[in-house]
Amino acid sequence: MADPIIQGIFSAAFLASILRVTTPILLPSLGALISDRAGVTNIGLEGMMLGSAFTGVIVSAYSQTWFGVETGLVIGPWLGLVSGVFVAIMLALLLGFFHLRLKANLILSGVALNILGSAATVAIMFELTGDRGNTSTLASLQIPFIQLPEFIKSIPLVGGFFFEVFDNQSIMTWIAFIAVAVVWFMLYRTPFGMHLRASGENPSAAQSVGIPVQRTRFIALILSGMFAGLGGIHMSMGYLSLFQRDMTSGRGFIALATPLLGGNTPVGTMIASMVFGFFDALSNRIGSLQIPSMLPLMVPNVATVMALVIYALQTRQSQRVRAMRTASTGDFNSAYWTAVQRLSLLHVVMAMLAVIGVIIAISLFLAPNGFGGYDVAYPLALVIAVVSVALISANIPFLTRVERISAQIRFSGLVSVISLGVYLGLFFSLLMQPSVAFPLGVVLGFGIWATIGGWRLFGMARQSA
Amino acid sequence: MKSPSRSWGWLAIAIVAAALVTGFITYRMFNGSVDEMTAQADYQNVILVNVLVGISVALFIFQLKWGALRVALTVVAALILGYIVTAFFNLDTAAQFTRGKYEVALISEAAPTTADGTTLSYGGVEKGEFNKQGVRSPVTDVQYTFAGKSGDVVTLLAYAANNRSLVDLQLALTDASGATLATATAATAEQIGQFKDLRTEQDAALQDFTLPADGLYTLDVRPEVVSFSTTIGETVKATNAAYDAFLLGALGRVNRWAVWIQDALTLILVGLAIAIAFRANQFSLGAEGQLYLGALASGMIALAWGNMSPWIVIPVAILASVTAGFLWGLIPGILKAYLNANELVSTLMLNTIAIRFYDLVLTFQLKPPEAGYISSEKFTNNAIFPSIVAETQVTVAVFIVIAAVIAVWLLITRTPLGYEIRMVGANQRFAAYGGVNTRRTIMLSMAISGILAGLVGAHLSMGIYRQLLINISIGLAFEGVVVALLARNDPLVIPFTGFLYAYLRAGAQFMERDANVSFEVVRIIQAVIILLITAEALIAYFQQRRVQRKGLQSTAEHSKQAAEGGAHG
């Protein structure tokens, strides 16, 4: 049961599937990033994605009737792409008009846009196909996939792996990852990017130096609409080749969280999107095992909530440290605070991961039949619950007061190493005997703890004693 | 409120409106017949509920005064837009005349001639379907070839194959050289009487045509081209029929009325839940997940304790659902209050988690192994809300909703916590400066919102569905946003907006059933309502114009007076 998962996870095919499922998260995430940085959070991404996904399918399907099958097959996908993105931009303009001109509440008009996107696509689909579920009766087209040249395989060492990961990926996937660089360049290397960031960080200051804040925000919304549109196109014309009602299933909302997790930078956003892509791909893979499919499907959402918590705690922590550094008179020990910050992050992550354990325990307890009956599920639930609660309650004291980390460095270190040992041991036991896996996990956990600053703090504590 | 006389005026308007609405609904339901009314079981309770609807109208007018007019105008504007959308979707109504199954018959007394390549013979009938939907290359016209001798008298009929097919046909007869010999479009009344296959004048008949020469003839059959005026006429007719079902369908029969009322009860509770959070300026959409967990909690109690007295099961189940909602609402509350985590993102994520969890427990634990689709067993009669109108799902939930409205109103306007919620909602920094514990307030506002959402879950599981189903709610939280926004988050106005919005939702269902217009039209209307209600500058714009006009008038009067004064002086 375990081996296929692990082999699957470490395979090039799995990496390729991560890229595939990351694309529809990454594209709207870039949109969310741009609008966030301009200070106009675009809640309507979901609706824009749906609008463009649907338009792309319809236009590409009908282009075969309009221009004949021969021509339609060639230009259809691109026509679909352009019109889909156009629709998404139109929706973004609508949002911009209502928020920036008519002063409508940004969040509520975004919600309205999502409802509009979901409802209008279903209504029009019902009109065109008589079906309110999907457009399988339409012969819609796909955006072409890029086939890599064969010679790449012959590159020694990495060639075969590289080929397997990047071959036969949709053009949209390439666009998404190239767009990360483009967005980075736009944000940090162009005057417009500077205006955009200024409009988000301090609109009145930006206004006072002559930056057209309203216009910049309008353009930011349009750009975010464009990226949402590209993401929608990938959903219906790359990832799948049809439109299903509400097929984005919350990706537009996840995209709101990824920039937060990625520290509001393009590269960070990309990494955060790939984390979600990883969980998404993982749930696709372990969904076929004996585990109820709902459980892995919860993981990306649980991870988002955790990301919010971790991000908030980290922001507060670094604000505090920065304030201390500003207030200090030369005796600020930056190495010490870096170590404390890193260790507190470790404690947060350890506590957060245990929350998944609590969820699993509750699931086991309430639905034992999904996990092989009462006699298997209940003991397991008890063990998982006890371990999770223990891990949470051991880690939490170090979060509420970070000073405890250095004051009780031995205890903090013990908790960190044991927590890491449990998680790593669980992970390794998929690969090997548990009797080997858990000791290995503890050793590796100690290594991680010592490297990120535990050893240094320990040394400092001994010195001062 | 400033001058009592003005308040009295509004009160009078409110009471009159309430009476009118109650009367109209009751009148429409029973076609104005007292006999029909008394024949209905529990008709007193029907009237009671209608009086409650009337009271909600009165509260709406009295609470919002001129604001009520704005809400009404917004709804009317959205309905007009909905009409245009519906008309747009109905633009192809006339296309029904160009598609459908048809039959073609060739009748002749003469001896049949045989030849190669013929597709039709004397006495033969051919069938087909024009412009079939969902086909990649539909049939738009057909040709049949038959052989005939000079002097043969033939009759050609083209007609819709059955009652459902409304295709309007025309036919043309050409000879081997391609020259058109005769055409026919509309069958005459005589022909319809003569040939039993013809039903309406949309069928086409070419009667007693004498073939001029020996050889092959081609019969061309195709739907008639629909004129522009027919297209528009049919569109308006279909749209009017659809809107008739939309706006009055809910008052047709008692079971339709019950669909409206039971949905309204749900929406009022969701609206209250959303309004509490919105009052504290928290854009929490967590009601969706909270109501799923509420439904799960109450459903599990109802299934496990189904044999106990209803006086025990129902309160315990409600308590369980409320607790589940409270706890699930507490999570985003804590995240927002103590970590400043974006409540919109966190609630949306928690919603999905809750729904998946509900699915998990339902699929693997509560579903009986032999059940064909994913649902729990039906609850026993002890574990469901008793109906107050027989054979409908209008239950004692009516009284729960009344209690909830009053409780939320008291909470918001008459308690310290309510005051703090309003303070935080108006200006969080100012509230903190004034000594309000903003963290506690934000946390509690979202958790209390969860209590009401949990109650919605109990209402859905024990009141409406009476079992646990998959997809027990699809986006109710968003519906709640409309209800709360229309009511300006005022708990006393929410009953009206709940009834109103549920009326539109129920109407949309009947529109879909009766007129085949997609239910989604009502969601488009919903989006428009949100946009129009939240567009603050929209009123500001009109107010500005009014002020400008008044200003201009008064300046004009002033200058006039000044001029007169100057003249006198």
Side-chain angles (χ1 to χ4, degrees):
Chain A
M1 170 174 151
D3 284 349
I5 311 179
I6 290 305
Q7 279 162 9
I9 288 176
F10 291 120
S11 72
F14 186 67
L15 212 58
S17 75
I18 290 179
L19 293 186
R20 234 187 317 281
V21 297
T22 299
T23 309
I25 301 172
L26 176 54
L27 282 167
S29 298
L30 289 173
L33 172 71
I34 292 173
S35 61
D36 267 0
R37 290 304 289 261
V40 273
T41 309
N42 184 353
I43 308 285
L45 288 168
E46 184 93 350
M48 295 174 193
M49 286 177 82
L50 284 170
S52 94
F54 179 69
T55 316
V57 162
I58 295 298
V59 170
S60 75
Y62 279 84
S63 64
Q64 295 164 71
T65 358
W66 296 333
F67 304 105
V69 175
E70 292 286 310
T71 336
L73 282 177
V74 180
I75 64 166
W78 305 112
L79 217 56
L81 174 76
V82 171
S83 47
V85 171
F86 176 76
V87 165
I89 289 177
M90 281 293 132
L91 288 171
L93 278 175
L94 189 70
L95 180 65
F97 176 72
F98 266 90
H99 172 57
L100 298 171
R101 280 290 160 77
L102 296 181
K103 303 279 174 263
N105 180 301
L106 182 59
I107 293 175
L108 292 173
S109 26
V111 166
L113 219 61
N114 289 335
I115 296 171
L116 190 66
S118 159
T121 50
V122 177
I124 300 173
M125 178 164 67
F126 182 63
E127 281 304 310
L128 289 178
T129 66
D131 190 334
R132 41 176 53 255
N134 60 53
T135 60
S136 55
T137 51
L138 294 175
S140 65
L141 305 170
Q142 273 185 310
I143 299 287
F145 291 74
I146 292 186
Q147 313 295 334
L148 293 184
E150 287 287 321
F151 74 84
I152 288 176
K153 267 193 206 164
S154 59
I155 299 171
L157 291 174
V158 292
F161 186 78
F162 185 86
F163 186 83
E164 211 178 322
V165 174
F166 293 103
D167 185 43
N168 205 21
Q169 293 282 9
S170 169
I171 289 180
M172 300 308 291
T173 305
W174 289 90
I175 289 179
F177 284 90
I178 293 167
V180 175
V182 174
V183 169
W184 177 85
F185 184 83
M186 189 206 76
L187 278 180
Y188 298 107
R189 291 289 181 274
T190 63
F192 173 73
M194 207 205 65
H195 288 182
L196 194 146
R197 285 180 289 136
S199 311
E201 271 157 32
N202 197 335
S204 31
Q207 189 84 53
S208 71
V209 295
I211 294 174
V213 174
Q214 292 290 82
R215 201 173 71 199
T216 311
R217 288 184 162 175
F218 228 116
I219 298 172
L221 276 179
I222 291 172
L223 284 174
S224 80
M226 184 190 82
F227 279 112
L230 288 170
I233 290 290
H234 179 71
M235 283 305 295
S236 67
M237 299 176 68
Y239 191 63
L240 298 175
S241 57
L242 75 161
F243 179 84
Q244 291 170 341
R245 75 177 292 163
D246 299 328
M247 74 185 302
T248 46
S249 54
R251 284 181 177 81
F253 297 126
I254 289 176
L256 292 174
T258 44
L260 292 182
L261 182 58
N264 266 327
T265 61
V267 176
T269 304
M270 181 186 77
I271 294 169
S273 307
M274 289 183 75
V275 169
F276 279 100
F278 171 80
F279 280 118
D280 219 353
L282 190 69
S283 65
N284 286 347
R285 203 161 281 260
I286 60 179
S288 59
L289 295 172
Q290 292 300 320
I291 304 166
S293 63
M294 296 85 176
L295 217 46
L297 283 173
M298 286 182 199
V299 171
N301 301 286
V302 178
T304 312
V305 177
M306 287 178 185
L308 284 176
V309 173
I310 294 171
Y311 177 73
L313 284 174
Q314 282 308 106
T315 318
R316 180 179 301 175
Q317 198 60 41
S318 47
Q319 272 169 357
R320 245 189 93 205
V321 171
R322 207 177 301 155
M324 273 193 286
R325 178 182 294 165
T326 326
S328 71
T329 49
D331 60 341
F332 182 77
N333 189 341
S334 94
Y336 165 80
W337 280 108
T338 314
V340 167
Q341 257 182 297
R342 283 186 188 159
L343 288 179
S344 80
L345 178 63
L346 184 67
H347 282 299
V348 182
V349 175
M350 293 297 105
M352 287 285 112
L353 282 174
V355 173
I356 296 183
V358 173
I359 293 174
I360 293 176
I362 297 174
S363 307
L364 280 166
F365 183 72
L366 282 181
N369 288 349
F371 302 88
Y374 290 93
D375 23 335
V376 184
Y378 274 14
L380 198 61
L382 194 67
V383 171
I384 296 177
V386 168
V387 171
S388 309
V389 170
L391 287 177
I392 292 173
S393 43
N395 278 297
I396 280 215
F398 299 106
L399 302 180
T400 48
R401 290 187 65 81
V402 280
E403 284 78 4
R404 287 204 187 113
I405 295 175
S406 54
Q408 309 171 6
I409 181 66
R410 281 157 216 264
F411 186 50
S412 155
L414 191 67
V415 168
S416 302
V417 171
I418 290 178
S419 314
L420 272 168
V422 170
Y423 298 126
L424 291 172
L426 274 173
F427 185 67
F428 289 141
S429 55
L430 296 170
L431 287 170
M432 53 190 87
Q433 289 295 322
S435 53
V436 188
F438 281 96
L440 186 68
V442 171
V443 171
L444 204 65
F446 180 76
I448 292 173
W449 173 78
T451 326
I452 65 169
W455 196 248
R456 182 189 291 268
L457 274 191
F458 187 63
M460 284 181 189
R462 271 228 308 238
Q463 269 178 10
S464 59
Chain B
M1 284 285 183
K2 277 173 200 160
S3 68
S5 64
R6 218 161 155 195
S7 255
W8 285 114
W10 280 109
L11 190 63
I13 295 174
I15 289 170
V16 170
L20 282 176
V21 168
T22 311
F24 176 73
I25 296 171
T26 318
Y27 185 87
R28 283 288 308 202
M29 278 178 74
F30 301 114
N31 300 317
S33 140
V34 175
D35 291 341
E36 204 172 311
M37 184 172 83
T38 45
Q40 164 70 35
D42 299 319
Y43 70 92
Q44 300 94 334
N45 287 335
V46 174
I47 295 172
L48 172 75
V49 173
N50 287 345
V51 168
L52 289 174
V53 176
I55 292 175
S56 79
V57 174
L59 280 170
F60 162 67
I61 294 176
F62 191 71
Q63 286 291 108
L64 293 187
K65 305 217 163 67
W66 285 112
L69 194 66
R70 186 187 175 206
V71 170
L73 285 177
T74 308
V75 172
V76 168
L79 283 176
I80 292 172
L81 196 96
Y83 185 89
I84 296 169
V85 171
T86 313
F88 184 73
F89 286 143
N90 277 322
L91 269 182
D92 65 337
T93 314
Q96 65 191 341
F97 299 130
T98 65
R99 62 173 176 248
K101 294 199 168 129
Y102 68 91
E103 284 180 19
V104 170
L106 173 59
I107 305 165
S108 177
E109 306 277 303
T113 319
T114 50
D116 289 341
T118 57
T119 48
L120 194 61
S121 56
Y122 289 171
V125 174
E126 289 295 327
K127 297 175 186 180
E129 182 169 356
F130 282 125
N131 296 316
K132 189 173 178 182
Q133 279 173 303
V135 178
R136 283 190 73 177
S137 43
V139 183
T140 54
D141 60 305
V142 285
Q143 279 81 34
Y144 297 101
T145 314
F146 64 90
K149 288 198 182 65
S150 172
D152 285 359
V153 176
V154 295
T155 297
L156 293 161
L157 303 179
Y159 50 90
N162 51 44
N163 283 331
R164 269 172 320 197
S165 170
L166 295 174
V167 63
D168 190 357
L169 297 162
Q170 61 181 4
L171 58 80
L173 185 65
T174 53
D175 63 15
S177 68
T180 306
L181 300 174
T183 59
T185 51
T188 60
E190 260 173 55
Q191 289 168 334
I192 294 169
Q194 191 175 348
F195 302 100
K196 67 171 175 36
D197 289 327
L198 302 183
R199 273 191 215 90
T200 64
E201 60 163 18
Q202 293 185 337
D203 303 331
L206 181 61
Q207 203 177 351
D208 298 337
F209 182 79
T210 314
L211 299 181
D214 291 3
L216 289 176
Y217 291 86
T218 305
L219 169 65
D220 182 289
V221 182
R222 60 181 63 191
E224 281 185 46
V225 176
V226 180
S227 71
F228 182 70
S229 60
T230 315
T231 308
I232 297 297
E234 287 296 319
T235 301
V236 170
K237 213 163 85 184
T239 312
N240 285 346
Y243 249 55
D244 189 48
F246 183 32
L247 293 180
L248 291 172
L251 303 181
R253 290 189 294 271
V254 169
N255 57 2
R256 289 193 160 193
W257 169 85
V259 169
W260 165 38
I261 297 299
Q262 75 190 40
D263 195 34
L265 299 179
T266 317
L267 288 185
I268 293 169
L269 287 175
V270 185
L272 288 173
I274 299 276
I276 293 175
F278 275 20
R279 264 289 164 102
N281 209 16
Q282 303 304 310
F283 291 100
S284 157
L285 293 175
E288 187 86 357
Q290 291 147 11
L291 72 88
Y292 265 92
L293 290 188
L296 183 65
S298 61
M300 288 180 85
I301 301 275
L303 287 169
W305 294 4
N307 295 326
M308 288 197 194
S309 151
W311 294 103
I312 298 172
V313 189
I314 295 176
V316 170
I318 290 179
L319 198 67
S321 67
V322 162
T323 315
F326 178 83
L327 291 176
W328 202 244
L330 201 58
I331 297 175
I334 292 174
L335 293 182
K336 177 66 193 280
Y338 292 92
L339 298 171
N340 201 22
N342 184 327
E343 74 275 21
L344 195 82
V345 176
S346 70
T347 50
L348 288 170
M349 294 298 129
L350 288 169
N351 284 351
T352 320
I353 297 170
I355 294 170
R356 302 257 193 248
F357 185 73
Y358 174 92
D359 289 352
L360 172 78
V361 177
L362 180 60
T363 313
F364 290 99
Q365 200 61 31
L366 302 179
K367 180 176 89 85
E370 71 279 4
Y373 52 94
I374 300 170
S375 68
S376 75
E377 282 170 29
K378 292 234 181 252
F379 299 164
T380 59
N381 281 336
N382 288 351
I384 58 175
F385 290 170
S387 295
I388 57 168
V389 177
E391 289 173 15
T392 66
Q393 260 91 299
V394 178
T395 58
V396 290
V398 172
F399 305 111
I400 296 178
V401 169
I402 296 175
V405 169
I406 294 172
V408 172
W409 175 70
L410 286 176
L411 170 80
I412 299 242
T413 58
R414 296 285 185 275
T415 64
L417 180 62
Y419 177 70
E420 287 173 0
I421 287 178
R422 283 182 286 142
M423 287 277 281
V424 169
N427 189 334
Q428 191 177 333
R429 280 193 189 170
F430 181 73
Y433 186 72
V436 174
N437 184 345
T438 52
R439 287 183 167 175
R440 175 175 159 273
T441 310
I442 289 174
M443 190 178 77
L444 282 181
S445 73
M446 282 159 93
I448 293 172
S449 150
I451 289 184
L452 285 148
L455 205 54
V456 178
H459 170 56
L460 286 176
S461 73
M462 297 198 295
I464 294 183
Y465 298 113
R466 296 170 180 192
Q467 70 188 113
L468 291 181
L469 299 167
I470 212 139
N471 289 340
I472 202 162
S473 137
I474 300 173
L476 268 177
F478 292 109
E479 320 283 348
V481 170
V482 185
V483 171
L485 272 181
L486 275 175
R488 296 191 178 174
N489 304 323
D490 182 338
L492 290 185
V493 183
I494 284 175
F496 170 74
T497 52
F499 278 121
L500 175 74
Y501 194 60
Y503 189 77
L504 297 184
R505 264 164 58 96
Q509 278 182 40
F510 305 131
M511 177 168 74
E512 179 166 306
R513 213 175 295 164
D514 297 350
N516 208 23
V517 172
S518 169
F519 176 79
E520 264 65 29
V521 168
V522 79
R523 291 177 63 212
I524 296 176
I525 291 177
Q526 177 187 7
V528 173
I529 290 179
I530 299 181
L531 284 175
L532 290 183
I533 283 280
T534 58
E536 288 302 327
L538 214 59
I539 0 165
Y541 176 73
F542 287 119
Q543 275 172 351
Q544 201 183 347
R545 282 196 42 184
R546 210 175 61 192
V547 170
Q548 270 175 359
R549 231 179 13 242
K550 267 190 185 168
L552 281 177
Q553 274 172 8
S554 58
T555 355
E557 276 165 20
H558 277 301
S559 51
K560 205 174 152 192
Q561 280 170 4
E564 281 169 2
H568 283 291

